[in-house]
């Protein structure tokens, strides 16, 4: 069975602080994909990043960076110099594609509040 | 591309009534997913289709829920009869195996009173 755990339910930071959102996953599959989605107050789900299980290179995109470590089954997300517009719920997700199955499993989400 | 389109955006209905949610996936995508989001349970996969065929409906809560995909460009999720505990945001998403990314619609906020 696949499982995604986001242990932080809510986080509050002051603007310009750095913040890391944790994601731990469980899967017995060797080929899988990990995602982060952002859900702003308006409600839509916005895709942020996808990593496959064979690519452990960390990635940086502007103020966003992602740390993928297979050894600890973690895929953490860091926002540098946070801004009020970063306030949202962030979801980590795990995709297994194979053996006739194609399933995207989400964590419960972390609500980030950035205080001006 | 207009993205995944869901309708209606908001639906308020009385308990016992039939509710139909609609989804138009991105053209060319061969996977379609229905998710339900609640505060208590987060984002749950209800059912997904591949090439219009239901593959896994194990997440459908009970027989009151049914989903169809009559063609590649349209899917419905029906609840009959609706109950207050069905109140949630329902998301539709589409994907293709080659992209391994699911694109979500804006969701339908359902309130059953």
């Amino acid at each position: 069975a696949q499982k995604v755990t986001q242990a932080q339910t809510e986080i509050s930071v002051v603007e310009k602080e750095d913040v890391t959102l944790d994601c731990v996953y469980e899967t017995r599959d060797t080929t899988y994909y990990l995602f982060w989605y952002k859900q702003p107050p308006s409600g839509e789900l916005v895709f942020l990043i996808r990593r496959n299980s064979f690519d452990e290179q960390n990635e940086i995109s502007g103020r966003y960076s992602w740390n993928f470590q297979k050894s600890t089954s973690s895929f953490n997300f860091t926002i540098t110099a946070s801004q009020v517009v970063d306030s949202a719920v962030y979801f980590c997700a795990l995709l297994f594609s194979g053996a006739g199955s194609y399933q995207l499993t989400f964590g419960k989400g972390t609500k980030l509040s950035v205080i001006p | 591309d207009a993205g995944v389109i869901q309708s209606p955006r908001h639906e308020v209905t009385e308990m016992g009534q039939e509710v139909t949610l609609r989804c138009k996936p991105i053209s060319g995508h061969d996977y379609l997913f229905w998710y339900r989001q609640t505060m208590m349970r987060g984002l749950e996969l209800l059912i997904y289709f591949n090439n219009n065929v239901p593959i896994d409906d194990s997440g459908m809560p009970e027989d009151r829920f049914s989903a169809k995909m009559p063609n590649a460009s349209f899917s419905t999720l029906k609840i009959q009869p609706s109950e207050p505990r069905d109140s949630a945001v329902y998301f539709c998403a589409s994907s293709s195996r080659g992209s391994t990314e699911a694109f979500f619609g804006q969701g339908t906020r359902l309130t059953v009173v």
Side-chain angles (χ1 to χ4, degrees), chain A residues 2 18 23 38 44 47 69 75 85 100 108:
Chain A
Q2 302 183 108
D18 298 348
C23 173
K38 175 182 180 180
E44 72 271 25
F47 166 80
Q69 295 202 350
F75 186 43
V85 293
K108 291 286 176 68

Side-chain angles (χ1 to χ4, degrees), chain A residues 19-91:
Chain A
V19 58
T20 295
L21 310 182
D22 297 332
C23 173
V24 174
Y25 62 93
E26 295 176 30
T27 181
R28 285 181 284 188
D29 305 306
T30 56
T31 302
Y32 52 89
Y33 298 84
L34 294 162
F35 298 80
W36 277 95
Y37 283 84
K38 175 182 180 180
Q39 187 175 41
S42 50
E44 72 271 25
L45 281 159
V46 179
F47 166 80
L48 295 178
I49 190 172
R50 177 194 76 225
R51 303 301 276 169
N52 72 53
S53 53
F54 298 108
D55 184 0
E56 285 192 73
Q57 267 197 325
N58 292 331
E59 184 158 336
I60 298 174
S61 176
R63 296 184 297 105
Y64 295 170
S65 61
W66 291 270
N67 183 352
F68 176 27
Q69 295 202 350
K70 284 181 79 170
S71 60
T72 56
S73 297
S74 65
F75 186 43
N76 296 336
F77 173 28
T78 298
I79 301 174
T80 303
S82 60
Q83 300 176 1
V84 173
V85 293
D86 296 327
S87 297
V89 180
Y90 291 86
F91 291 94

Side-chain angles (χ1 to χ4, degrees), chain B residues 15-84:
Chain B
M15 183 174 65
Q17 296 296 307
E18 177 180 296
V19 175
T20 299
L21 311 181
R22 297 172 176 79
C23 175
K24 176 178 167 51
I26 292 173
S27 177
H29 281 185
D30 52 357
Y31 285 90
L32 184 139
F33 306 84
W34 282 100
Y35 284 86
R36 179 172 67 176
Q37 185 178 29
T38 60
M39 289 293 293
M40 290 296 294
R41 301 172 71 91
L43 273 159
E44 303 173 275
L45 176 65
L46 300 177
I47 184 172
Y48 78 94
F49 296 82
N50 179 218
N51 292 321
N52 313 337
V53 176
I55 302 300
D56 185 349
D57 65 355
S58 59
M60 296 285 261
E62 47 197 278
D63 291 346
R64 298 184 296 107
F65 285 70
S66 62
K68 294 183 180 179
M69 192 164 185
N71 57 62
S73 59
F74 184 65
S75 176
T76 59
L77 177 67
K78 187 177 293 187
I79 308 172
Q80 165 64 17
S82 57
E83 297 182 1

